[in-house]
Amino acid sequence: MAFREYKIGSRMFAFALGSSMMITLYFPSKDIASVQATKTALNRQLSFGRIGGFSVEDPFLKGKGKPVTVFLNKDPKTGQPIEPVTAYVYPAGVPFPSGLRHPRILGEGVKDLSLGQGRIADAKEGSGAVFVVSEAGFNGKTLSYIENATATRGWQPGEAVAAAGDANSRYIGSGKIMFVREGCWWCHTLLPEETQDWQYFGAPPMLGDFNGESPTAFGSDRKAPDLLHVASRNSSREWMTMHFYNPRLVQTHSIMPRYDYLWGEKDAAGNKIDYDKWRAEYNEYVAGKRVYAPEVPQPAAESEARMLIDFVLALK
Amino acid sequence: MLKYLFAKEEDIPPGTAAIFFGFSSIVWFVLGTGLGSFNAAKLAFPDFVTGIELISFGHMRQVHVLAVILGWISMAFAMTMMYITPALGNTKLWSEKLGVWNCFLWNIGLAFGLFLLWNGVSSGREYSDMPWFIDLVVIFGVLFPLGINVWMTIKNRRTQGIYTTNWFFGAATFMVIVVFLVGNMPEFFNLTGLTEAYLTWWFAHNVLGLWITPVAAAISYYVVPKVTGNPLYSHRIGHLHFWSVVVFYSTPAAHHLMSAPLPEWLKSFASVEGVLILVPAIAFVSNLLLTMHGKWRMFVENVEIKYTITGVLLAIPLNMQGGFQQTRAINWYVHGTGWIVAHAHLALLGFSTFLEAAAVYYGLQVLLRRKVYSLSLSNFHFWMLLIGFSTYWISMTIAGLIQGAGKIYEVPYIDVVIAEHPYMIARWVGGTMVFIGNIVWMYNMWMTARAGTPIPAGRLPHELAYER
Ligand code: HEM
């Protein structure tokens, strides 16, 4: 390094790369960090839980350590009827999403309401908690914030799950894990484009719709319809069940892979699923030797297929 | 290989690490393109093999992408760094032993990472799909040792100046470490929301812009003058190329998210900077083509030059597409379509792969001191790659334009899927040709090591006539 030129050169290099980092990392992150979380962002992160991909609590992406979303129409504590509400149940030990761990990222107002009225600082992962999204005024504007219903209303995780029952419980967070693990995002996007997707795929998301969610799994490569609002187009659980088992049952020209393996060993009634038989019958049906396609088994309550369908039907 | 891991530094013949890296890269190339071809078959014939978790498209796509990027391309880079850096400094590699360990850990780490990824253990972030502990292995077990070897070799050089290729090598190994450290922060610190989305693409963009593109270019700055015997046309233009890469290529990351709700200033800025990428691109292409002056015969007659110059020529459409497709005026039409997949393969399978293949051909001949076994097989490999790639590129570009039209006319999506079907088949055929070509290449290089004509001391491979 005897040359003076190289000293100047390496300083210039540091300056150039440093400025580039300043413009492409520091300024944008300041800008993005000042964004206020929308109601969508609160609902999304509360239903997904901490991380949607690899995490310490769920190293093999089986959907472990995720919250349960429940629809309640009676108070889990008193049993009195209430206005229907969506609650996010975090049983003891399930990690909280980023908005609860670092309320700062919720942005002005949302943070203040969540900490003040919502008492989210009182929630502890070790004992679990139930959250709901509520609204209140802040500086003359109505904002959504996270309410720790365990502190404000005395709702306990176990009671909330029991009050809802399986029919009103959704494994949306575990379903997102399936979505990431199975690579749905290599074909589907979760991001209607700002320019031309309004009519077909629905409104593009807003700046504050993702605070607290990771990964966002927007997808870059679209070989199939955008899914951000798919459940608003089609909310039939029946259709989804058939479509995931074998997309070509409902859409002959689809290139989507079959996801029958997410059904696992047994169906909803506890009977063993005979895949070989099903496929043989399906092949006969395709060859025109059968009039009807074979019946698609109902996914068991704790199967991965159920989690995935819960997730997809929550994309409104 | 194993016997050199614990050998004394003096007992390891110079060039060992480069040879290991060379053959590893070829093996990953065959595996990676084989996976690519299998994926393409799945998109063309969805019921081809089905209902098994491990071979479903969503489990395999990312394995293909990372096998070719981290296995083939980056290992070929490591190979070239291990023989070109010392050659240009008129010295030995700083540590041959570190190089051998580097190669060993790289193969093990990558195989393990891809195995996990294949099983679905993914972070859900495109291009940085590997979970964070694998990222740490990549940074500290793979990239850092490589960097140290390159930097120390440059420092210990016995020439006064540093040639263009070595600036690029030194800077790119440094920048890629920074990119990996910063780009994986969302996983290290669980960053969320748009910060996560933006950093994902900041990583993807900069791996391409500060690692793959400059190192590939740097390789050809060595191969063309060395083989043709012409001096580099202009060192000034080389300077322009280097500095404009650092300044312009490191900034447009947000152009990958033009239709996402990012701050508008960021998107506009990225899009302007993206057009400025044409500066390094034009500098690079013109510099090399002018270096060829008077030696164009070798474009036909010599294997290495044929590959390198084809790669350089492919950089022209690549950068024309790249510069313009990311402007708002065009991006909304092609974003997220097969057009982008075609572009990605133009960059990695067209431009970059051809440059690295040349360097691996050349390097293995120099290091093994044997002439390439068969010219016919090399030519076969070349044409399989070129025709296969062109088929891939053209068919996916057309498919992308169809998808773009589908977007604006708002046809039911399934009609787009049906219209794309023939092009999906064409892409599979093209990609499979590349795969077959690569198997032939692997055989050819293996035979070179075993039965290639020895090169007499003091001679260079391109000075000998081809025999088969
Ligand atoms: C060295 C050679 C290659 C490199 C570096 C490479 C690289 C890549 C990259 C970066 C992507 C991601 C593209 C994107 O996200 O837009 C990709 C996707 C893909 N590649 Fe390759 N590739 C290579 C060869 C091949 C070959 C020979 C085939 C065989 C047909 C192939 C088939 C595919 C397929 C099917 C996809 C998925 C595309 C999609 O999702 O629509 N690739 N490859």
Side-chain angles (χ1 to χ4, degrees):
Chain A
M1 287 276 173
F3 268 21
R4 196 170 55 93
E5 281 75 3
Y6 291 134
K7 281 219 178 99
I8 301 176
S10 33
R11 278 178 205 158
M12 269 168 64
F13 178 75
F15 176 72
L17 202 66
S19 325
S20 146
M21 299 264 164
M22 189 81 177
I23 301 176
T24 61
L25 290 172
Y26 181 70
F27 293 153
S29 57
K30 280 222 84 103
D31 249 22
I32 295 174
S34 65
V35 171
Q36 205 172 47
T38 60
K39 185 173 185 185
T40 314
L42 302 183
N43 283 325
R44 285 175 79 92
Q45 63 177 293
L46 286 174
S47 57
F48 295 155
R50 190 166 82 100
I51 293 183
F54 169 84
S55 63
V56 189
E57 62 270 15
D58 188 18
F60 297 105
L61 282 85
K62 297 283 178 208
K64 300 238 161 47
K66 297 289 173 272
V68 188
T69 305
V70 296
F71 307 129
L72 296 173
N73 47 24
K74 56 177 197 256
D75 189 309
K77 193 171 166 69
T78 61
Q80 297 300 315
I82 50 168
E83 280 287 299
V85 61
T86 306
Y88 304 95
V89 182
Y90 284 71
V94 171
F96 291 164
S98 278
L100 292 166
R101 297 181 154 211
H102 315 283
R104 182 175 49 79
I105 65 160
L106 298 175
E108 269 310 296
V110 182
K111 175 190 83 180
D112 305 278
L113 289 172
S114 304
L115 284 171
Q117 259 138 299
R119 293 176 60 186
I120 55 173
D122 296 347
K124 294 280 165 289
E125 284 176 8
S127 43
V130 181
F131 300 98
V132 293
V133 174
S134 309
E135 280 179 359
F138 185 83
N139 289 349
K141 272 202 287 184
T142 309
L143 293 181
S144 299
Y145 68 95
I146 305 178
E147 180 185 332
N148 172 6
T150 308
T152 57
R153 313 185 190 183
W155 294 359
Q156 294 304 324
E159 296 168 356
V161 171
D166 191 59
N168 284 319
S169 300
R170 300 284 180 273
Y171 296 96
I172 299 174
S174 310
K176 179 165 180 192
I177 291 282
M178 302 301 133
F179 188 84
V180 167
R181 187 187 80 192
E182 296 303 329
C184 312
W185 49 293
W186 295 123
C187 292
H188 293 280
T189 49
L190 286 178
L191 182 71
E193 293 173 18
E194 286 182 343
T195 31
Q196 73 288 318
D197 280 347
W198 292 72
Q199 289 213 5
Y200 203 81
F201 296 135
M206 314 285 266
L207 205 52
D209 278 356
F210 302 100
N211 292 24
E213 181 185 347
S214 174
T216 39
F218 286 158
S220 67
D221 193 349
R222 197 188 271 168
K223 296 182 265 304
D226 190 275
L227 294 184
L228 193 66
H229 305 297
V230 61
S232 314
R233 297 196 289 276
N234 178 354
S235 60
S236 159
R237 189 167 277 269
E238 195 95 283
W239 190 91
M240 291 296 166
T241 309
M242 288 173 69
H243 188 254
F244 285 129
Y245 201 79
N246 184 341
R248 282 157 293 284
L249 283 176
V250 284
Q251 181 51 268
T252 2
H253 298 288
S254 181
I255 57 164
M256 180 158 143
R258 304 180 191 182
Y259 288 100
D260 47 5
Y261 54 82
L262 296 179
W263 263 244
E265 299 259 295
K266 300 219 167 88
D267 68 6
N271 301 322
K272 202 166 158 29
I273 303 177
D274 190 344
Y275 289 102
D276 292 337
K277 176 154 164 278
W278 196 93
R279 286 181 191 160
E281 288 178 3
Y282 173 73
N283 290 342
E284 285 173 19
Y285 163 69
V286 173
K289 290 189 209 132
R290 264 174 78 108
V291 185
Y292 298 109
E295 279 288 314
V296 171
Q298 278 308 310
E302 58 289 349
S303 66
E304 297 184 333
R306 187 264 174 100
M307 299 172 186
L308 181 67
I309 296 174
D310 281 356
F311 168 76
V312 171
L313 290 179
L315 294 168
K316 290 247 168 62
Chain B
M1 169 165 200
L2 293 173
K3 87 171 181 224
Y4 289 124
L5 287 177
F6 299 102
K8 281 214 219 65
E9 174 73 29
E10 311 79 82
D11 297 340
I12 308 178
T16 309
I19 294 175
F20 285 145
F21 266 119
F23 279 102
S24 307
S25 74
I26 299 177
V27 171
W28 283 107
F29 195 13
V30 172
L31 291 175
T33 46
L35 284 168
S37 154
F38 192 65
N39 284 349
K42 299 198 67 93
L43 290 178
F45 314 106
D47 271 336
F48 161 50
V49 261
T50 190
I52 301 172
E53 177 158 3
L54 286 188
I55 53 175
S56 78
F57 181 75
H59 278 259
M60 291 186 45
R61 183 192 189 275
Q62 62 274 45
V63 182
H64 157 67
V65 172
L66 292 184
V68 286
I69 292 182
L70 294 176
W72 156 238
I73 294 191
S74 299
M75 280 207 191
F77 283 173
M79 183 254 184
T80 56
M81 289 178 181
M82 305 244 155
Y83 84 87
I84 294 179
T85 314
L88 285 172
N90 206 358
T91 177
K92 287 199 317 214
L93 187 64
W94 181 66
S95 166
E96 208 55 62
K97 187 161 176 176
L98 182 64
V100 176
W101 269 98
N102 198 187
C103 182
F104 179 71
L105 280 183
W106 196 324
N107 277 307
I108 304 262
L110 184 60
F112 181 62
L114 291 181
F115 170 76
L116 288 182
L117 208 52
W118 199 321
N119 280 283
V121 182
S122 152
S123 68
R125 304 173 59 231
E126 187 163 1
Y127 291 103
S128 34
D129 318 61
M130 301 255 198
W132 54 264
F133 58 93
I134 301 280
D135 293 330
L136 288 177
V137 174
V138 173
I139 295 169
F140 294 104
V142 168
L143 298 175
F144 205 63
L146 175 68
I148 298 209
N149 235 342
V150 171
W151 304 324
M152 292 311 287
T153 308
I154 295 181
K155 189 149 187 286
N156 293 343
R157 70 188 181 280
R158 287 188 287 181
T159 54
Q160 200 181 24
I162 303 178
Y163 180 66
T164 322
T165 301
N166 272 352
W167 312 330
F168 275 105
F169 282 176
T173 38
F174 173 73
M175 291 190 290
V176 75
I177 294 174
V178 174
V179 170
F180 262 81
L181 281 171
V182 176
N184 284 305
M185 277 193 337
E187 288 161 50
F188 299 149
F189 305 116
N190 189 25
L191 305 183
T192 56
L194 285 178
T195 317
E196 182 270 338
Y198 176 59
L199 275 177
T200 301
W201 287 101
W202 187 90
F203 173 87
H205 175 84
N206 285 327
V207 163
L208 292 170
L210 301 179
W211 175 242
I212 293 180
T213 318
V215 179
I219 291 174
S220 54
Y221 276 125
Y222 175 78
V223 172
V224 173
K226 182 85 185 169
V227 176
T228 59
N230 284 350
L232 183 64
Y233 175 73
S234 160
H235 284 266
R236 289 249 168 97
I237 300 183
H239 274 280
L240 176 66
H241 179 193
F242 179 83
W243 289 105
S244 53
V245 162
V246 176
V247 176
F248 297 141
Y249 227 138
S250 61
T251 41
H255 69 199
H256 294 265
L257 286 167
M258 287 305 270
S259 54
L262 283 182
E264 287 299 317
W265 71 264
L266 184 61
K267 289 194 261 180
S268 302
F269 173 76
S271 163
V272 172
E273 293 285 302
V275 178
L276 289 175
I277 292 183
L278 285 170
V279 173
I282 294 171
F284 163 66
V285 172
S286 48
N287 208 359
L288 279 170
L289 294 186
L290 288 167
T291 304
M292 283 296 288
H293 182 76
K295 294 286 169 62
W296 280 96
R297 263 179 44 245
M298 296 185 90
F299 181 36
V300 182
E301 290 169 2
N302 177 284
V303 173
E304 292 85 46
I305 292 294
K306 190 185 287 177
Y307 273 94
T308 307
I309 295 300
T310 310
V312 173
L313 291 173
L314 286 174
I316 299 174
L318 168 68
N319 290 293
M320 286 298 168
Q321 273 194 340
F324 294 110
Q325 77 192 8
Q326 46 95 43
T327 59
R328 283 176 204 255
I330 300 178
N331 188 263
W332 68 276
Y333 196 84
V334 297
H335 178 77
T337 67
W339 172 286
I340 304 294
V341 177
H343 174 76
H345 285 83
L346 176 57
L348 294 170
L349 174 56
F351 160 72
S352 173
T353 286
F354 277 83
L355 300 182
E356 287 119 45
V360 173
Y361 264 113
Y362 188 71
L364 284 180
Q365 293 179 66
V366 172
L367 297 164
L368 297 166
R369 307 251 10 112
R370 284 175 187 276
K371 182 77 181 168
V372 68
Y373 176 68
S374 159
L375 173 67
S376 323
L377 290 184
S378 307
N379 279 335
F380 178 76
H381 177 213
F382 176 83
W383 287 110
M384 287 299 263
L385 238 60
L386 189 59
I387 298 173
F389 154 70
S390 308
T391 314
Y392 189 124
W393 185 61
I394 293 170
S395 58
M396 284 318 283
T397 301
I398 299 177
L401 292 173
I402 294 175
Q403 273 176 292
K407 279 207 274 195
I408 35 173
Y409 296 115
E410 311 244 343
V411 298
Y413 204 90
I414 192 67
D415 290 339
V416 176
V417 176
I418 296 170
E420 277 183 304
H421 186 236
Y423 303 100
M424 292 286 171
I425 298 178
R427 177 251 290 269
W428 170 65
V429 173
T432 308
M433 286 176 69
V434 174
F435 173 54
I436 295 171
N438 283 337
I439 297 179
V440 171
W441 187 31
M442 192 160 70
Y443 171 76
N444 197 8
M445 289 331 270
W446 180 247
M447 289 309 286
T448 304
R450 312 233 97 186
T453 312
I455 300 173
R459 291 269 154 204
L460 287 170
H462 54 271
E463 293 166 354
L464 267 64
Y466 293 103
E467 289 176 1
R468 264 168 286 252

